[in-house]
Amino acid sequence: AQSVTQLDSQVPVFEEAPVELRCNYSSSVSVYLFWYVQYPNQGLQLLLKYLSGSTLVKGINGFEAEFNKSQTSFHLRKPSVHISDTAEYFCAVITGYSSASKIIFGSGTRLSIRP
Amino acid sequence: NAGVMQNPRHLVRRRGQEARLRCSPMKGHSHVYWYRQLPEEGLKFMVYLQKENIIDESGMPKERFSAEFPKEGPSILRIQQVVRGDSAAYFCASSPPGTGYSYEQYFGPGTRLTVT
């Protein structure tokens, strides 16, 4: 069975500092990986996705993530965070080959930015 | 180009009442998914529907919960005889039909259900 683990439930960071949010997955088949952001009282917005090709994926708002198959990781990074990045971030995985499959979400990492 | 719409945004029900949550997918989308988010947790898949068909309901509780996506109109998630444990945010997502592997699901703003 596939699963997604986000080891850090909360990550406090100072403004303009770099940040890395960790995500590990388990799956015996090929995966498609996603990061979503949820601002307070809002729905989820897709930050970036890995389907195939280059393992370094660039997303919106200056975020990027690297797919590491040997370590089964898909960590999210940003070189310099802003107050507006305060939100909850969810790593997610889809496995399977149908044209639409259910997403398995991690439990989320709350990113709080200190001025 | 309106996104995924959900209503109501907030719903309060007393124990034993019924809750009906509505989801209108993005224009042109024919796949709808429902997820539940309990406090301090990630989203959990509930059900995947296409027009007039339930494709995967492996995440739906066996009792009191049902979902439909009729030929016309929004998708409905129905919870009968609500209990306090049903209090959560319920999110709907949609994706376009056809081939391809974009796997991208577009999420609505959610309905926050509170059972008193």
Side-chain angles (χ1 to χ4, degrees):
Chain A
Q2 48 271 19
S3 66
V4 179
T5 302
Q6 292 182 246
L7 292 169
D8 307 303
S9 60
Q10 295 190 58
V11 173
V13 182
F14 285 107
E15 194 173 15
E16 298 184 7
V19 70
E20 178 180 83
L21 306 183
R22 296 181 292 169
C23 172
N24 288 88
Y25 67 91
S26 65
S27 175
S28 57
V29 298
S30 297
V31 295
Y32 305 97
L33 295 155
F34 305 80
W35 275 98
Y36 284 86
V37 59
Q38 185 180 30
Y39 298 104
N41 298 315
Q42 294 187 29
L44 275 70
Q45 181 181 1
L46 182 67
L47 269 181
L48 49 79
K49 61 186 176 186
Y50 170 79
L51 303 180
S52 65
S54 172
T55 57
L56 183 63
V57 181
K58 293 192 182 299
I60 61 171
N61 301 342
F63 284 93
E64 64 180 32
E66 186 155 18
F67 171 55
N68 188 319
K69 189 174 181 179
S70 62
Q71 297 186 5
T72 61
S73 68
F74 191 55
H75 301 332
L76 181 71
R77 301 185 185 99
K78 186 170 182 177
S80 175
V81 295
H82 190 266
I83 290 284
S84 60
D85 294 323
T86 298
E88 187 136 23
Y89 292 79
F90 293 95
C91 182
V93 62
I94 288 179
T95 61
Y97 301 94
S98 62
S99 62
S101 304
K102 59 190 176 191
I103 301 178
I104 311 286
F105 284 91
S107 55
T109 297
R110 195 177 301 274
L111 178 63
S112 58
I113 312 298
R114 301 168 176 172
Chain B
N1 184 16
V4 178
M5 298 174 66
Q6 290 187 249
N7 67 82
R9 293 292 306 275
H10 300 274
L11 182 61
V12 180
R13 284 288 177 266
R14 292 193 180 131
R15 278 180 299 170
Q17 290 185 320
E18 178 180 285
R20 279 184 177 241
L21 288 63
R22 295 175 189 78
C23 169
S24 297
M26 284 182 72
K27 187 177 181 180
H29 286 193
S30 58
H31 301 244
V32 166
Y33 313 78
W34 285 94
Y35 295 83
R36 176 165 62 176
Q37 184 180 31
L38 294 169
E40 307 301 320
E41 292 187 17
L43 279 72
K44 296 287 195 297
F45 168 82
M46 298 180 76
V47 63
Y48 160 37
L49 310 106
Q50 294 180 17
K51 286 282 186 182
E52 299 184 283
N53 281 307
I54 296 175
I55 307 302
D56 181 351
E57 56 181 347
S58 57
M60 286 278 271
K62 293 286 184 276
E63 297 176 349
R64 301 188 297 109
F65 285 72
S66 62
E68 62 176 9
F69 188 18
K71 189 176 180 180
E72 301 290 338
S75 174
I76 307 284
L77 179 67
R78 183 180 175 207
I79 311 173
Q80 294 178 292
Q81 298 177 315
V82 295
V83 300
R84 288 227 171 96
D86 296 333
S87 295
Y90 292 82
F91 290 95
C92 169
S94 72
S95 65
T99 59
Y101 297 93
S102 66
Y103 293 96
E104 188 161 339
Q105 295 180 16
Y106 296 81
F107 283 80
T111 294
R112 277 155 183 83
L113 172 65
T114 302
V115 179
T116 62

